[in-house]
Amino acid sequence: MVSGKEWWNVSELNKKYEIVFKDKKQETSDIFSFVFTKPDGFSWTPGQHGIFRFHDYDFESDKGYRVFSFTSVPEDNILMFTSCTYDRPGSEFKEHLLRLREGDIMTVEEPQGRFVVDDYDRPVCILARGIGITPVRAILRKLDISGSNPTKMKIYYLDEGGEYAFEESLRHIDNKIPGLEIEFLKDLDTLQDRAEAFARIIGNEGLYYTSGTAGINGMLIEMLLALEIDKTNIKADNFIGY
């Protein structure tokens, strides 16, 4: 029915590319972006994600990999992903991630995921909560640098604490693109109301994307289905606490 992070595709047989750490940027009190070199021949579609591992570190208490959405686009000539650090204090992987130094090496596997916007001529509604904004940032970055103008794109970005990752750049893009409107929200009820209002007006002429925890995504999908939105018009990116 919907797409999510494809955990079942993790395999030691997947092709791995070395990426070299360059820098990290603190986006909010607990969200960091990590910037790496982009390997030759490696590309992805905005909205996709990759499987990341450390090159030379063996974990004793951790599975040793994570799935992160790409928050940069290939045209940036860097590879960037963004992660929250609060979801599992003491995570060996997250602790090691925060200790990365310039020149350290990780690996990334071939990009995966179907959380991509297929048709900008149709109205698009994107619902993002918290760290769920990460694939959306790449989608908007691509719109910005390509000079594209969607017919009608509404993005509702929820963070109950009012800390919005990429807020400055998102507002900048919002102001540049006539067919785009981003609304920053602080409570779940408002997010539901906005999604319902869009669906009642646009119906199955639109495409619907929801990005966040599996629980929130599931609730929003159930609401859309109850409004007779066809499941083929819905895509989800499920972020699991890890």
Side-chain angles (χ1 to χ4, degrees), residues 169-224:
S169 63
L170 294 181
R171 291 189 185 275
H172 175 72
I173 295 170
D174 187 22
N175 290 332
K176 286 177 63 178
I177 300 177
L180 171 67
E181 182 180 352
I182 305 175
E183 190 169 347
F184 297 82
L185 308 176
K186 289 187 178 180
D187 66 87
L188 183 57
D189 288 342
T190 305
L191 179 69
Q192 291 178 278
D193 290 345
R194 296 292 193 274
E196 181 177 352
F198 187 98
R200 288 190 182 280
I201 295 170
I202 302 299
N204 280 300
E205 293 181 14
L207 298 170
Y208 299 82
Y209 296 76
T210 176
S211 180
T213 63
I216 297 297
N217 284 349
M219 178 192 67
L220 293 169
I221 290 166
E222 284 186 15
M223 181 192 70
L224 292 171

Side-chain angles (χ1 to χ4, degrees), residues 18 31 72 80 86 109 129 152 167 173 203 210 212 222 229:
E18 286 192 356
I31 293 178
S72 59
M80 184 172 80
Y86 67 83
E109 299 179 19
R129 179 177 183 244
K152 182 184 182 70
E167 181 176 4
I173 295 170
T210 176
E222 284 186 15
I229 301 302

Side-chain angles (χ1 to χ4, degrees), residues 125-141:
C125 179
I126 300 180
L127 312 169
R129 179 177 183 244
I131 194 65
I133 196 63
T134 53
V136 183
R137 192 268 182 186
I139 291 169
L140 293 179
R141 171 66 179 149

Side-chain angles (χ1 to χ4, degrees), residues 155-173:
I155 296 177
Y156 301 111
Y157 178 12
L158 169 66
D159 189 277
E160 289 89 338
E163 284 194 281
Y164 303 103
F166 316 114
E167 181 176 4
E168 183 178 349
S169 63
L170 294 181
R171 291 189 185 275
H172 175 72
I173 295 170

